[in-house]
Amino acid sequence: LDVGTLATPDDIPAFAESAWMRTMDSEPTFFDDGNHEQKCRQQVHDLAAAYLSEIDITGEKPVAIEKRFEVPLINPLTGEDLGLPLVGIVDLVLDGTDGPVVVDFKTAASASPSCQVPHELQLTAYAYLVREVFGRDESALEIRQLVKTKTPKIVIHRFPPRIDEHFRRFFGLVREYLDCLDRGVFNYRPGFGCMLCDHAGMCTLS
């Protein structure tokens, strides 16, 4: 599609196929067999179709799509410069009347009733990035879940702008990490990132 052209459900097959092939070229993925791959390809098609059918994209004005932001980490409440940058790739930033709307996409096997606690730190980090880059407070934050049920659906969780307490907790946690590193105290914090760590074996107990 040309820039500025709105996608329609009729565009999905060609668009999904093109996106699939580009992704496989850049990040090859191995499947159990051809049926498994075809099932995954169909799932991409169905989720995209569900998204366009449930979200009125004609009323949205993107100002950033999968944009990489990098800004200095300076506590907005105390002015403390932590001496390192915050780097993040924000899925989508929409132009809102009262400020940018920060959107993050998640896929899920089933719809979760609430995303507030599990994703609080991530949303706060995104809000900080967007505020620093655009010079305006966000008007809202959203998590849009693409739910991979038999009949795919889209679930939107919308949250108000971050308040001081969100940033107090976020920067308090970053400060704690940095203080531990300075002291050579490497607290065991297993998580999803361990699957991507080149040094994960160092944490394995024999």
Side-chain angles (χ1 to χ4, degrees), residues 82-156:
L82 274 65
L84 74 166
L86 176 64
V87 180
I89 298 176
V90 182
D91 287 346
L92 177 65
V93 181
L94 300 172
D95 184 21
T97 303
D98 300 320
V101 178
V102 182
V103 180
D104 188 57
F105 292 96
K106 304 288 185 188
T107 57
S110 60
S112 61
S114 175
C115 296
Q116 177 75 305
V117 174
H119 303 298
E120 177 191 323
L121 293 176
Q122 182 183 23
L123 291 176
T124 301
Y126 285 169
Y128 179 80
L129 287 169
V130 167
R131 290 185 184 195
E132 291 297 304
V133 171
F134 291 94
R136 299 178 66 192
D137 289 1
E138 73 285 356
S139 59
L141 302 106
E142 290 184 357
I143 287 182
R144 297 184 179 182
Q145 285 187 328
L146 284 66
V147 186
K148 300 179 290 185
T149 45
K150 185 174 182 180
T151 300
K153 59 183 178 180
I154 310 302
V155 177
I156 298 179

Side-chain angles (χ1 to χ4, degrees), residues 25 29-30 36-37 61 74 93 101 108 139 171 180 195 203:
D25 287 341
T29 300
F30 299 96
H36 183 208
E37 180 179 4
K61 299 178 180 178
I74 301 175
V93 181
V101 178
S139 59
F171 278 89
C180 286
M195 299 170 60
C203 296

Side-chain angles (χ1 to χ4, degrees), residues 177 179-187:
Y177 286 163
D179 288 345
C180 286
L181 290 173
D182 289 342
R183 298 196 307 270
V185 177
F186 306 108
N187 294 321

Side-chain angles (χ1 to χ4, degrees), residues 3-202:
V3 175
T5 302
L6 289 176
T8 70
D10 293 337
D11 297 313
I12 290 175
F15 179 78
E17 184 66 17
S18 175
W20 181 276
M21 297 305 296
R22 290 197 309 272
T23 302
M24 290 300 106
D25 287 341
S26 61
E27 301 177 36
T29 300
F30 299 96
F31 300 90
D32 296 337
D33 52 43
N35 289 334
H36 183 208
E37 180 179 4
Q38 185 55 39
K39 181 180 179 180
C40 292
R41 291 171 90 143
Q42 185 62 45
Q43 191 172 69
V44 170
H45 176 283
D46 293 343
L47 286 170
Y51 188 85
L52 287 182
S53 67
E54 296 187 32
I55 305 294
D56 180 15
I57 63 173
T58 61
E60 297 186 335
K61 299 178 180 178
V63 294
I65 300 174
E66 286 196 337
K67 179 69 174 179
R68 180 185 186 275
F69 296 127
E70 180 174 343
V71 300
L73 262 178
I74 301 175
N75 190 323
L77 304 178
T78 66
E80 178 190 10
D81 187 340
L82 274 65
L84 74 166
L86 176 64
V87 180
I89 298 176
V90 182
D91 287 346
L92 177 65
V93 181
L94 300 172
D95 184 21
T97 303
D98 300 320
V101 178
V102 182
V103 180
D104 188 57
F105 292 96
K106 304 288 185 188
T107 57
S110 60
S112 61
S114 175
C115 296
Q116 177 75 305
V117 174
H119 303 298
E120 177 191 323
L121 293 176
Q122 182 183 23
L123 291 176
T124 301
Y126 285 169
Y128 179 80
L129 287 169
V130 167
R131 290 185 184 195
E132 291 297 304
V133 171
F134 291 94
R136 299 178 66 192
D137 289 1
E138 73 285 356
S139 59
L141 302 106
E142 290 184 357
I143 287 182
R144 297 184 179 182
Q145 285 187 328
L146 284 66
V147 186
K148 300 179 290 185
T149 45
K150 185 174 182 180
T151 300
K153 59 183 178 180
I154 310 302
V155 177
I156 298 179
H157 300 275
R158 190 175 177 90
F159 307 103
R162 302 285 90 172
I163 60 176
D164 285 354
E165 185 57 31
H166 287 113
F167 292 109
R168 183 174 292 109
R169 293 210 287 200
F170 176 77
F171 278 89
L173 185 60
V174 176
R175 180 73 272 170
E176 178 191 341
Y177 286 163
L178 294 177
D179 288 345
C180 286
L181 290 173
D182 289 342
R183 298 196 307 270
V185 177
F186 306 108
N187 294 321
Y188 185 53
R189 299 178 185 273
F192 177 78
C194 297
M195 299 170 60
L196 310 175
C197 179
D198 293 334
H199 308 288
M202 297 176 64

